[in-house]
């Protein structure tokens, strides 16, 4: 499914947070959102997922405006993984991931074999099947993040939006989660801080600065030494170690 944002404006009160933002994501493509803190990445993700309404502009998924599609119907197609979530309720990992099946069930429907298979597959993909009976309260930050992603996968979405999904994860699970998302048969938009991970796993990158799109293109086109100096205020060397692969960034003191 394609994702298209045209001339988005959004803010809180009199403060403008996003201005004239336009992006497009082709079906099956993985797009990375990068930029300094406060550049508008998280706000843009919420607009794309239909969780917020823009002041101006339009977001469409597969040609349909996200603000006009009923929430439950949209949730059968779109999953959103936020940076973190907390609950004081005593629930198990399995309970949390089962919530991902809510958009596919009616109030009177029983738990089906299809639901069970979707949950089991989701837990397996994030390497948490062995923790399914464990209490949410006893999980580490990284384990909770993997459970969030499993819940989203249990929705069986065709589009996934992920806000800093590698936060709290060790490097092994950072790579495994991003590889898994890239290899899924869906369209994904991922906000990331790690530019090298973005270069490794994203087909395209959009660089945000001060609520607007500063640059957009392939990792090799976008992640240049000049852009890193101007947007991120760092000095770095950018090299393509493997022909055909994304660039590698080596930050210098």
């Amino acid at each position: 499914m394609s994702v298209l944002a045209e001339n988005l404006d959004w803010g809180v009160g009199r403060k403008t947070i996003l201005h004239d933002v336009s992006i497009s994501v082709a079906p099956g493509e993985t797009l990375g959102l990068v930029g300094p803190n406060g550049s508008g990445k998280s706000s843009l993700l919420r607009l794309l997922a239909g969780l917020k309404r823009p002041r101006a502009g339009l977001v469409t998924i597969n040609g349909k405006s996200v603000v006009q599609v009923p929430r439950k119907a949209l949730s059968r197609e779109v999953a959103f993984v936020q940076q973190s979530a907390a609950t004081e309720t005593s629930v198990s990992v399995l309970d949390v991931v089962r919530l991902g099946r809510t958009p596919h069930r009616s109030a009177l429907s029983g738990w089906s074999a299809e639901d069970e298979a979707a949950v089991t597959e989701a837990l397996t993909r994030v390497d948490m099947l062995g923790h399914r009976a464990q209490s949410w309260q006893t999980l580490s930050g990284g384990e909770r993040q993997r459970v969030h992603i499993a819940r989203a996968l249990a929705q069986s979405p065709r589009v996934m939006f992920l806000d800093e999904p590698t936060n709290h994860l060790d490097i092994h699970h950072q790579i495994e989660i991003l590889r898994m998302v890239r290899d899924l048969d869906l369209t994904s938009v991922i906000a990331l801080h790690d530019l090298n991970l973005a270069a490794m796993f994203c087909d395209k990158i959009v660089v945000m600065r001060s609520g607007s799109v500063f640059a957009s293109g392939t990792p090799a086109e976008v992640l240049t030494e000049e852009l890193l100096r101007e947007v991120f205020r760092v000095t770095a060397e950018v090299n393509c170690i493997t022909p055909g692969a994304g660039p590698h960034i080596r930050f210098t003191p």
Side-chain angles (χ1 to χ4, degrees):
M1 303 182 83
S2 62
V3 178
L4 179 66
E6 299 178 279
N7 309 115
L8 295 181
D9 275 67
W10 183 78
V12 177
R14 295 182 178 181
K15 182 179 180 180
T16 297
I17 295 174
L18 294 171
H19 175 64
D20 197 26
V21 172
S22 296
I23 68 169
S24 63
V25 193
E29 192 169 63
T30 298
L31 182 140
L33 291 179
V34 303
N37 288 337
S39 58
K41 301 185 299 294
S42 295
S43 297
L44 177 56
L45 278 178
R46 282 163 172 76
L47 289 173
L48 296 175
L51 300 176
K52 296 182 182 294
R53 287 176 173 257
R55 288 175 174 172
L58 178 69
V59 176
T60 59
I61 294 179
N62 227 30
K64 298 179 181 178
S65 170
V66 296
V67 299
Q68 295 178 352
V69 177
R71 171 52 49 188
K72 188 169 185 177
L74 187 63
S75 296
R76 287 194 289 267
E77 304 282 355
V78 175
F80 184 88
V81 179
Q82 59 186 339
Q83 288 188 35
S84 61
T87 178
E88 298 302 320
T89 306
S90 179
V91 294
S92 69
V93 167
L94 188 60
D95 292 332
V96 173
V97 180
R98 280 179 168 173
L99 291 173
R101 298 302 299 167
T102 302
H104 298 275
R105 304 173 65 235
S106 67
L108 301 178
S109 64
W111 190 255
S112 68
E114 182 181 359
D115 294 326
E116 191 66 29
V119 168
T120 299
E121 181 181 1
L123 283 166
T124 301
R125 281 185 175 274
V126 300
D127 194 24
M128 288 295 288
L129 185 61
H131 298 264
R132 60 188 179 277
Q134 190 171 337
S135 168
W136 170 264
Q137 302 295 340
T138 66
L139 299 177
S140 68
E143 288 169 337
R144 290 186 181 190
Q145 190 72 342
R146 285 150 61 195
V147 173
H148 287 319
I149 295 170
R151 177 189 52 75
L153 291 173
Q155 287 178 234
S156 302
R158 298 174 66 189
V159 180
M160 186 179 293
F161 300 103
L162 304 99
D163 193 1
E164 300 291 351
T166 56
N167 274 4
H168 311 298
L169 297 182
D170 57 63
I171 187 62
H172 168 76
H173 283 107
Q174 288 182 37
I175 292 172
E176 287 303 306
I177 289 296
L178 291 176
R179 179 181 289 123
M180 176 201 68
V181 172
R182 183 195 62 188
D183 292 344
L184 290 171
D185 185 22
L186 49 74
T187 306
S188 56
V189 181
I190 312 174
L192 289 167
H193 271 304
D194 191 310
L195 300 180
N196 279 311
L197 288 177
M200 287 173 64
F201 293 106
C202 297
D203 301 304
K204 289 197 324 188
I205 290 178
V206 168
V207 180
M208 301 290 296
R209 187 174 74 166
S210 302
S212 297
V213 174
F214 182 84
S216 177
T218 66
E221 292 170 340
V222 169
L223 297 177
T224 64
E225 295 174 4
E226 294 77 15
L227 180 139
L228 295 174
R229 280 196 300 270
E230 184 166 356
V231 176
F232 295 94
R233 297 184 297 173
V234 295
T235 302
E237 294 179 1
V238 180
N239 300 294
C240 286
I241 298 174
T242 304
H248 175 76
I249 302 167
R250 186 174 72 86
F251 297 99
T252 58

